[in-house]
PDB file of all heavy atoms in Angstrom:
ATOM      1  N   ILE A  24       6.484 -44.643  29.539  1.00  0.00           N
ATOM      2  CA  ILE A  24       6.538 -46.073  29.767  1.00  0.00           C
ATOM      3  C   ILE A  24       5.723 -46.476  31.004  1.00  0.00           C
ATOM      4  O   ILE A  24       4.855 -47.364  30.964  1.00  0.00           O
ATOM      5  CB  ILE A  24       7.984 -46.557  29.933  1.00  0.00           C
ATOM      6  CG1 ILE A  24       8.739 -46.404  28.593  1.00  0.00           C
ATOM      7  CG2 ILE A  24       8.056 -48.030  30.385  1.00  0.00           C
ATOM      8  CD1 ILE A  24      10.237 -46.677  28.646  1.00  0.00           C
ATOM      9  N   VAL A  27       1.915 -46.396  30.624  1.00  0.00           N
ATOM     10  CA  VAL A  27       1.369 -47.516  29.821  1.00  0.00           C
ATOM     11  C   VAL A  27       1.383 -48.788  30.621  1.00  0.00           C
ATOM     12  O   VAL A  27       0.405 -49.546  30.627  1.00  0.00           O
ATOM     13  CB  VAL A  27       2.198 -47.688  28.510  1.00  0.00           C
ATOM     14  CG1 VAL A  27       1.822 -48.973  27.801  1.00  0.00           C
ATOM     15  CG2 VAL A  27       2.001 -46.489  27.610  1.00  0.00           C
ATOM     16  N   GLU A  28       2.465 -49.032  31.385  1.00  0.00           N
ATOM     17  CA  GLU A  28       2.565 -50.252  32.165  1.00  0.00           C
ATOM     18  C   GLU A  28       1.482 -50.288  33.245  1.00  0.00           C
ATOM     19  O   GLU A  28       0.851 -51.311  33.514  1.00  0.00           O
ATOM     20  CB  GLU A  28       3.973 -50.367  32.779  1.00  0.00           C
ATOM     21  CG  GLU A  28       5.015 -50.620  31.684  1.00  0.00           C
ATOM     22  CD  GLU A  28       6.436 -50.789  32.236  1.00  0.00           C
ATOM     23  OE1 GLU A  28       6.670 -50.421  33.406  1.00  0.00           O
ATOM     24  OE2 GLU A  28       7.293 -51.250  31.445  1.00  0.00           O
ATOM     25  N   ARG A  29       1.198 -49.096  33.835  1.00  0.00           N
ATOM     26  CA  ARG A  29       0.165 -48.987  34.849  1.00  0.00           C
ATOM     27  C   ARG A  29      -1.215 -49.179  34.250  1.00  0.00           C
ATOM     28  O   ARG A  29      -2.014 -49.977  34.705  1.00  0.00           O
ATOM     29  CB  ARG A  29       0.297 -47.600  35.492  1.00  0.00           C
ATOM     30  CG  ARG A  29      -0.385 -47.446  36.828  1.00  0.00           C
ATOM     31  CD  ARG A  29       0.041 -46.119  37.505  1.00  0.00           C
ATOM     32  NE  ARG A  29      -0.222 -44.967  36.651  1.00  0.00           N
ATOM     33  CZ  ARG A  29       0.689 -44.041  36.364  1.00  0.00           C
ATOM     34  NH1 ARG A  29       1.945 -44.164  36.795  1.00  0.00           N
ATOM     35  NH2 ARG A  29       0.409 -43.010  35.574  1.00  0.00           N
ATOM     36  N   GLU A  30      -1.509 -48.468  33.166  1.00  0.00           N
ATOM     37  CA  GLU A  30      -2.838 -48.461  32.586  1.00  0.00           C
ATOM     38  C   GLU A  30      -3.201 -49.782  31.894  1.00  0.00           C
ATOM     39  O   GLU A  30      -4.356 -50.177  31.857  1.00  0.00           O
ATOM     40  CB  GLU A  30      -2.994 -47.300  31.596  1.00  0.00           C
ATOM     41  CG  GLU A  30      -3.192 -45.961  32.235  1.00  0.00           C
ATOM     42  CD  GLU A  30      -3.299 -44.825  31.234  1.00  0.00           C
ATOM     43  OE1 GLU A  30      -3.534 -45.088  30.054  1.00  0.00           O
ATOM     44  OE2 GLU A  30      -3.131 -43.668  31.693  1.00  0.00           O
ATOM     45  N   TYR A  31      -2.220 -50.435  31.307  1.00  0.00           N
ATOM     46  CA  TYR A  31      -2.522 -51.626  30.500  1.00  0.00           C
ATOM     47  C   TYR A  31      -2.040 -52.918  31.164  1.00  0.00           C
ATOM     48  O   TYR A  31      -2.216 -53.969  30.610  1.00  0.00           O
ATOM     49  CB  TYR A  31      -1.900 -51.495  29.087  1.00  0.00           C
ATOM     50  CG  TYR A  31      -2.550 -50.386  28.288  1.00  0.00           C
ATOM     51  CD1 TYR A  31      -2.120 -49.081  28.444  1.00  0.00           C
ATOM     52  CD2 TYR A  31      -3.569 -50.664  27.420  1.00  0.00           C
ATOM     53  CE1 TYR A  31      -2.733 -48.038  27.729  1.00  0.00           C
ATOM     54  CE2 TYR A  31      -4.194 -49.646  26.703  1.00  0.00           C
ATOM     55  CZ  TYR A  31      -3.773 -48.330  26.844  1.00  0.00           C
ATOM     56  OH  TYR A  31      -4.344 -47.316  26.152  1.00  0.00           O
ATOM     57  N   GLY A  32      -1.463 -52.778  32.334  1.00  0.00           N
ATOM     58  CA  GLY A  32      -1.010 -53.968  33.066  1.00  0.00           C
ATOM     59  C   GLY A  32       0.048 -54.750  32.320  1.00  0.00           C
ATOM     60  O   GLY A  32       0.054 -55.987  32.370  1.00  0.00           O
ATOM     61  N   VAL A  33       0.904 -54.077  31.551  1.00  0.00           N
ATOM     62  CA  VAL A  33       1.958 -54.787  30.824  1.00  0.00           C
ATOM     63  C   VAL A  33       3.319 -54.507  31.483  1.00  0.00           C
ATOM     64  O   VAL A  33       3.452 -53.521  32.232  1.00  0.00           O
ATOM     65  CB  VAL A  33       2.002 -54.378  29.321  1.00  0.00           C
ATOM     66  CG1 VAL A  33       0.771 -54.887  28.604  1.00  0.00           C
ATOM     67  CG2 VAL A  33       2.149 -52.885  29.166  1.00  0.00           C
ATOM     68  N   LYS A  34       4.273 -55.369  31.219  1.00  0.00           N
ATOM     69  CA  LYS A  34       5.635 -55.138  31.777  1.00  0.00           C
ATOM     70  C   LYS A  34       6.597 -54.937  30.578  1.00  0.00           C
ATOM     71  O   LYS A  34       6.326 -55.373  29.460  1.00  0.00           O
ATOM     72  CB  LYS A  34       6.068 -56.377  32.564  1.00  0.00           C
ATOM     73  CG  LYS A  34       5.427 -56.458  33.897  1.00  0.00           C
ATOM     74  CD  LYS A  34       6.182 -57.390  34.831  1.00  0.00           C
ATOM     75  CE  LYS A  34       5.443 -57.571  36.147  1.00  0.00           C
ATOM     76  NZ  LYS A  34       4.919 -58.939  36.339  1.00  0.00           N
ATOM     77  N   ASN A  35       7.710 -54.321  30.879  1.00  0.00           N
ATOM     78  CA  ASN A  35       8.752 -54.129  29.845  1.00  0.00           C
ATOM     79  C   ASN A  35       8.237 -53.467  28.565  1.00  0.00           C
ATOM     80  O   ASN A  35       8.554 -53.915  27.456  1.00  0.00           O
ATOM     81  CB  ASN A  35       9.362 -55.452  29.435  1.00  0.00           C
ATOM     82  CG  ASN A  35      10.463 -55.867  30.435  1.00  0.00           C
ATOM     83  OD1 ASN A  35      11.213 -55.003  30.887  1.00  0.00           O
ATOM     84  ND2 ASN A  35      10.522 -57.144  30.725  1.00  0.00           N
ATOM     85  N   ALA A  36       7.414 -52.440  28.738  1.00  0.00           N
ATOM     86  CA  ALA A  36       6.882 -51.781  27.552  1.00  0.00           C
ATOM     87  C   ALA A  36       8.024 -51.213  26.737  1.00  0.00           C
ATOM     88  O   ALA A  36       9.011 -50.718  27.297  1.00  0.00           O
ATOM     89  CB  ALA A  36       5.908 -50.668  27.976  1.00  0.00           C
ATOM     90  N   LEU A 330      -0.547 -50.568  22.331  1.00  0.00           N
ATOM     91  CA  LEU A 330      -0.296 -50.253  23.750  1.00  0.00           C
ATOM     92  C   LEU A 330      -0.635 -51.446  24.615  1.00  0.00           C
ATOM     93  O   LEU A 330       0.120 -51.792  25.555  1.00  0.00           O
ATOM     94  CB  LEU A 330      -1.168 -49.053  24.176  1.00  0.00           C
ATOM     95  CG  LEU A 330      -0.805 -47.677  23.655  1.00  0.00           C
ATOM     96  CD1 LEU A 330      -1.815 -46.636  24.126  1.00  0.00           C
ATOM     97  CD2 LEU A 330       0.594 -47.284  24.072  1.00  0.00           C
ATOM     98  N   ARG A 331      -1.694 -52.139  24.267  1.00  0.00           N
ATOM     99  CA  ARG A 331      -2.055 -53.351  25.052  1.00  0.00           C
ATOM    100  C   ARG A 331      -1.029 -54.437  24.891  1.00  0.00           C
ATOM    101  O   ARG A 331      -0.901 -55.320  25.729  1.00  0.00           O
ATOM    102  CB  ARG A 331      -3.461 -53.850  24.614  1.00  0.00           C
ATOM    103  CG  ARG A 331      -4.598 -52.970  25.177  1.00  0.00           C
ATOM    104  CD  ARG A 331      -5.963 -53.630  25.004  1.00  0.00           C
ATOM    105  NE  ARG A 331      -6.395 -53.624  23.592  1.00  0.00           N
ATOM    106  CZ  ARG A 331      -7.025 -52.615  23.020  1.00  0.00           C
ATOM    107  NH1 ARG A 331      -7.334 -51.539  23.708  1.00  0.00           N
ATOM    108  NH2 ARG A 331      -7.378 -52.694  21.760  1.00  0.00           N
ATOM    109  N   GLU A 332      -0.253 -54.399  23.775  1.00  0.00           N
ATOM    110  CA  GLU A 332       0.826 -55.363  23.591  1.00  0.00           C
ATOM    111  C   GLU A 332       2.128 -54.880  24.201  1.00  0.00           C
ATOM    112  O   GLU A 332       3.176 -55.523  24.047  1.00  0.00           O
ATOM    113  CB  GLU A 332       1.051 -55.591  22.091  1.00  0.00           C
ATOM    114  CG  GLU A 332      -0.141 -56.175  21.343  1.00  0.00           C
ATOM    115  CD  GLU A 332      -0.558 -57.539  21.870  1.00  0.00           C
ATOM    116  OE1 GLU A 332       0.334 -58.378  22.125  1.00  0.00           O
ATOM    117  OE2 GLU A 332      -1.765 -57.766  22.063  1.00  0.00           O
ATOM    118  N   GLY A 333       2.075 -53.707  24.863  1.00  0.00           N
ATOM    119  CA  GLY A 333       3.293 -53.184  25.475  1.00  0.00           C
ATOM    120  C   GLY A 333       4.239 -52.471  24.527  1.00  0.00           C
ATOM    121  O   GLY A 333       5.435 -52.420  24.747  1.00  0.00           O
ATOM    122  N   VAL A 334       3.671 -51.949  23.432  1.00  0.00           N
ATOM    123  CA  VAL A 334       4.508 -51.242  22.470  1.00  0.00           C
ATOM    124  C   VAL A 334       3.936 -49.817  22.288  1.00  0.00           C
ATOM    125  O   VAL A 334       2.757 -49.665  21.901  1.00  0.00           O
ATOM    126  CB  VAL A 334       4.544 -51.942  21.107  1.00  0.00           C
ATOM    127  CG1 VAL A 334       5.421 -51.182  20.125  1.00  0.00           C
ATOM    128  CG2 VAL A 334       5.113 -53.369  21.260  1.00  0.00           C
ATOM    129  N   LYS A 360       9.883 -57.021  18.750  1.00  0.00           N
ATOM    130  CA  LYS A 360       8.644 -56.930  19.502  1.00  0.00           C
ATOM    131  C   LYS A 360       7.596 -56.110  18.746  1.00  0.00           C
ATOM    132  O   LYS A 360       6.440 -56.492  18.661  1.00  0.00           O
ATOM    133  CB  LYS A 360       8.954 -56.293  20.869  1.00  0.00           C
ATOM    134  CG  LYS A 360       7.739 -56.220  21.794  1.00  0.00           C
ATOM    135  CD  LYS A 360       8.170 -55.863  23.233  1.00  0.00           C
ATOM    136  CE  LYS A 360       6.904 -55.669  24.094  1.00  0.00           C
ATOM    137  NZ  LYS A 360       7.204 -55.692  25.531  1.00  0.00           N
TER     138      LYS A 360
END
Side-chain angles (χ1 to χ4, degrees):
I24 293 173
V27 170
E28 292 181 344
R29 198 168 56 233
E30 283 178 16
Y31 294 83
V33 292
K34 284 198 185 114
N35 276 323
L330 289 177
R331 285 192 288 274
E332 298 300 316
V334 180
K360 184 168 175 164

